[in-house]
Amino acid sequence: MNKAETFLVNSGPRRLLQRFYEAPLLARLGGRVPGGRVLEIGCGSGYGTRLILDRFGAAAVDAVDLDPGAVEAARGRLAGYGERVRLAVGSATDLRGALEAEDGVYDAVFDFAIIHHIEDWRAGLAEVARVLRPGGRFYFDEVTATALNRPTYRRLFDHPDEDRFTAGDFLAELPRHGLYADERWQTRIGGDYLLGVAERRGAGAVGRAARDRTG
Ligand SMILES: C[S@@+](CC[C@H](N)C(=O)[O-])C[C@H]1O[C@@H](n2cnc3c(N)ncnc32)[C@H](O)[C@@H]1O
């Protein structure tokens, strides 16, 4: 993430938006996670982690980010939560390496604007699905190719150039990993932003989705 995006993501207006608009919308779409064991990918400086604990009611949050500086900032912000929070530097595409996360161990996974940073974003979704238990929920708040291809975004920020996803691409990919958003999603600003919640369904549902794709 370049300096301009780091500044914007950590700015007051963005925090207000995340707290009073994005998190309440996600809670309306997917409900809270009281007492849940939750993973946050790309936690940045930990502001979203705090929302997951305080607003969504998680009992414990494991959070991972590629950027050691961001994880250090998160450590400071979240120190008061003690053992309820576990932070790690590492990639959302290798949660075994970062957090020793086994299959199906989380009740929910949160993605506050990170998957569009991952070159192989499909691998990111596969890893989310792997660590969610059946019936667990994936909360996503994403920036799409529609936004990333706009001149302002191109000029100011730095994102993977290849294989960007539109809202439709992202929604179509979810069931390939056993993640089903059904009607629980919304786009904003002409498809620039996609927010939603997908449920992890069992291996039978994944098999059926694969058969549907191959006709
Ligand atoms: C746009 S920022 C969002 C940060 C935070 N979720 C928020 O909403 O404030 C994207 C974050 O994803 C992190 N990131 C990018 N690729 C990643 C990856 N493969 N695994 C984990 N984190 C990643 C970046 O370091 C950055 O902190």
Side-chain angles (χ1 to χ4, degrees), residues 1 5 9-10 14-15 18 40-44 64-67 70 90-93 112-114 116-118:
M1 208 163 63
E5 192 173 0
V9 159
N10 291 299
R14 153 80 173 128
R15 292 309 181 207
Q18 191 175 9
E40 185 189 9
I41 52 174
C43 62
V64 64
D65 199 289
L66 265 189
D67 176 357
S91 177
T93 56
F112 283 114
I114 168 223
H116 67 283
H117 277 277
I118 304 179

Side-chain angles (χ1 to χ4, degrees), residues 138-187:
F138 172 42
Y139 293 73
F140 52 90
D141 174 2
E142 269 305 327
V143 184
T144 71
T146 318
L148 300 181
N149 292 338
R150 293 189 194 282
T152 335
Y153 260 91
R154 281 188 176 283
R155 205 167 307 129
L156 286 179
F157 307 128
D158 189 15
H159 293 99
D161 281 329
E162 305 290 325
D163 195 24
R164 295 173 167 178
F165 55 80
T166 62
D169 296 332
F170 193 88
L171 291 167
E173 186 66 17
L174 291 173
R176 294 178 187 138
H177 305 280
L179 299 166
Y180 293 81
D182 302 321
E183 305 304 315
R184 292 182 303 269
W185 57 271
Q186 297 186 7
T187 56

